[in-house]
Amino acid sequence: MSAVLVWTIVAGTIAGILVRPKAWPEAVWACLGAALLVLFRLLPLHAAWRAVGKGTDVYLFLAGMMLLAELARREGVFDWLAGLAVRAARGSPPRLFMLVYAVGILVTVFLSNDATAVVLTPAVYAVVKKARTTALPYLLSCAFIANAASFVLPISNPANLVVYGKQLPSLVPWLKLFMLPSLLSIAATFLVLWMLSRKELKGRLEQGVEVPSLSTEGFRAAWGIVVTGAVLIAASALGLDLGLPTCSAGAAAVLIATRANRKALAAVVRDVSWSVLPLVAGLFVLVEALDGAGALRDIGAAIKYCSTLPPFAGSLAASFGVAALSNLMNNLPSGLLMGTALQTLHVPNYVRHAVLIGTDLGPNLSVTGSLATVLWLIALRREGEHVSGWTFLKAGVLVMPPALLLATMALVYTAS
């Protein structure tokens, strides 16, 4: 009976995050679900705190990225990038689309998919406002590339930290495994998005847009982003946890750019979307309760079944199975469940790697499938823009499956 109640509360929480009744933030529903689990004694308080503690590295990672994003926004880095992009497009919507996609790849690879959602999305929105063109193709490009390129490097997605835990491969072995699958994922996603957007990419953009000058503080903020990317790559190459280096680099960038001015610091900290952190913490608590309700056992059995199949079939079953689960409950909790199960099982490496690809790329089906797309929605909301779940799903059902299929097929080849 208690297991049924756990699943009911978790399902209600996920539904609240998806639908957002009364426009309550996603974090409210995640924390409410976690509180109900403790109040009904379905999860001891000490177990809930332990679950919250498991996300420390992820919280630090996100905090650093959000500080950088807010600093860049306040210092005009986004407006500067917008002006440069519109000028480089030379009046061509297809050229602007390709520029946005290419920048999305770079930001995702070197700063993580969450940075693409938090840092790039406002910049792209500023671009389309300056260019006076239809926003949707460019905004969807930000969301889809955030997941499609999120396994190029270990640092490209916080979910990678969750799935592999302490067994996260170092940089060179990672590249040997995931470079080809990543390239196919990025290419397939671009081609489908291009076909879906081709009608809206006709005509001409507004030209003669003035590129605003970037202040000294703005240059410092931009360099802070570059340096943070370098720090993350170095930490990944050394096999270090990524949360503390990211948070430290972000905090240092804010201090340097603002010259430690108390008012400027307070303004940056105040405007960060801190609600993301309790949202993630609540999801960790939900996973802990599901573990106690037998979900880990069932997932372990499913993973074992995948490992009994031939490599190609087993990899596809693992990647598409995890993709389906991630779209039902978000890829952060599903990745945590998968990672916990994989730590206790002896399965072929190709199954473990297929789980990672399904966790990273599978959420491109629905708007709440990954933390990155939730952050993308929050970023759009701050700009006064709205993209419905149905709009995203209509694109995602065409974008995600071919990319996941090609990436998984390439993984079987590289892992063999």
Side-chain angles (χ1 to χ4, degrees):
M1 184 65 182
S2 60
V4 173
L5 189 54
V6 167
W7 279 102
T8 302
I9 291 174
V10 170
T13 302
I14 298 298
I17 293 172
L18 291 171
V19 181
R20 294 179 65 244
K22 298 185 178 181
W24 286 359
E26 291 85 354
V28 171
W29 296 101
C31 293
L32 179 60
L36 288 175
L37 290 169
V38 174
L39 288 173
F40 284 112
R41 298 184 178 181
L42 298 169
L43 184 68
L45 183 59
H46 67 85
W49 279 117
R50 184 176 67 244
V52 171
K54 290 179 181 178
T56 301
D57 197 49
V58 178
Y59 310 145
L60 290 171
F61 186 89
L62 291 172
M65 286 301 174
M66 290 190 295
L67 283 170
L68 278 174
E70 183 56 32
L71 174 67
R73 187 188 70 82
R74 290 186 61 83
E75 300 301 341
V77 177
F78 295 152
D79 290 333
W80 176 66
L81 289 173
L84 291 176
V86 174
R87 186 170 67 183
R90 298 198 296 262
S92 168
R95 188 178 290 117
L96 180 60
F97 184 83
M98 288 187 283
L99 279 169
V100 167
Y101 197 82
V103 173
I105 294 171
L106 292 174
V107 174
T108 300
V109 170
F110 296 110
L111 287 177
S112 88
N113 63 338
D114 294 331
T116 299
V118 175
V119 176
L120 185 62
T121 301
V124 169
Y125 188 72
V127 165
V128 296
K129 283 199 301 182
K130 285 182 178 293
R132 298 185 182 179
T133 187
T134 305
L136 187 61
Y138 308 95
L139 296 177
L140 286 178
S141 178
C142 291
F144 283 115
I145 192 55
N147 291 324
S150 66
F151 48 99
V152 175
L153 297 179
I155 64 173
S156 302
N157 193 337
N160 299 338
L161 316 181
V162 170
V163 172
Y164 281 106
K166 297 298 182 182
Q167 299 175 338
L168 186 72
S170 58
L171 188 59
V172 174
W174 183 284
L175 290 173
K176 289 180 179 178
L177 278 170
F178 292 112
M179 181 55 70
L180 180 59
S182 294
L183 291 174
L184 291 176
S185 167
I186 291 167
T189 300
F190 176 80
L191 288 174
V192 177
L193 281 174
W194 181 271
M195 289 188 290
L196 291 174
S197 306
R198 63 189 184 279
K199 290 183 180 178
E200 295 169 295
L201 297 178
K202 293 180 179 179
R204 301 292 294 174
L205 302 174
E206 181 77 12
Q207 291 185 275
V209 174
E210 182 181 351
V211 179
S213 59
L214 197 60
S215 66
T216 301
E217 291 78 9
F219 272 112
R220 289 173 180 165
W223 274 110
I225 294 174
V226 173
V227 171
T228 299
V231 168
L232 287 177
I233 292 173
S236 174
L238 295 171
L240 302 176
D241 290 341
L242 302 179
L244 185 58
T246 308
C247 191
S248 300
V254 172
L255 286 170
I256 292 170
T258 61
R259 299 179 184 178
N261 180 277
R262 188 172 298 177
K263 288 185 178 180
L265 284 172
V268 172
V269 173
R270 182 186 62 241
D271 290 337
V272 168
S273 299
W274 294 112
S275 63
V276 172
L277 301 184
L279 165 64
V280 175
L283 292 175
F284 272 90
V285 174
L286 296 183
V287 168
E288 189 73 16
L290 288 174
D291 185 3
L296 196 61
R297 181 187 63 248
D298 296 336
I299 286 174
I303 293 174
K304 282 184 178 179
Y305 173 74
C306 291
S307 66
T308 64
L309 299 172
F312 182 70
S315 296
L316 285 176
S319 63
F320 276 88
V322 176
L325 183 63
S326 295
N327 284 287
L328 287 173
M329 63 185 304
N330 189 274
N331 73 335
L332 195 62
S334 64
L336 182 60
L337 281 171
M338 291 291 172
T340 305
L342 286 170
Q343 290 174 22
T344 62
L345 297 173
H346 296 287
V347 296
N349 282 332
Y350 63 80
V351 172
R352 186 184 304 272
H353 304 324
V355 165
L356 186 280
I357 289 181
T359 302
D360 283 5
L361 181 55
N364 262 350
L365 179 66
S366 65
V367 75
T368 49
S370 74
L371 179 60
T373 43
V374 171
L375 293 172
W376 176 76
L377 281 176
I378 293 172
L380 290 182
R381 233 175 272 147
R382 290 187 63 182
E383 303 295 337
E385 187 73 20
H386 176 71
V387 177
S388 70
W390 175 241
T391 298
F392 194 97
L393 181 62
K394 286 191 296 183
V397 76
L398 297 173
V399 171
M400 187 277 284
L404 184 56
L405 175 63
L406 290 172
T408 307
M409 290 172 63
L411 174 69
V412 175
Y413 171 75
T414 58
S416 60

